[in-house]
Amino acid sequence: YGKTASKVALKWILQQGCVPLPGTQNSAHLKQNLSSSNFTLSETDMDAINVRARNGERERVMAVAGLGFTDEF
């Protein structure tokens, strides 16, 4: 999708029919969060995330991965 893990997570929450409550003090991050609705996750990807979310599995994305951020997803 070419999106950050945070955007994918927000989109997953939205596609579940829930209201995400992201928080940030950084105006650039706020704009990024608000732009998370300009794509749709496929049913296959939604199912894959659902399975992992139900099992409580998470991965730590480390800064050494070269993504420019750390996050859990």
Side-chain angles (χ1 to χ4, degrees):
Y1 296 97
K3 307 292 182 183
T4 65
S6 297
K7 281 189 176 186
V8 171
L10 286 172
K11 189 59 173 181
W12 174 74
I13 292 168
L14 288 167
Q15 284 185 220
Q16 294 289 331
C18 299
V19 177
L21 300 173
T24 183
Q25 295 180 357
N26 182 312
S27 62
H29 290 166
L30 178 60
K31 289 178 186 175
Q32 289 175 357
N33 289 342
L34 293 173
S35 71
S36 64
S37 62
N38 63 357
F39 69 102
T40 302
L41 296 172
S42 70
E43 186 175 329
T44 301
D45 289 336
M46 287 293 293
D47 290 343
I49 296 169
N50 287 339
V51 167
R52 295 189 70 176
R54 283 190 201 112
N55 292 332
E57 296 178 26
R58 297 183 300 190
E59 284 182 36
R60 171 70 63 185
V61 177
M62 304 300 289
V64 295
L67 300 174
F69 66 92
T70 58
D71 208 342
E72 284 191 6
F73 181 62

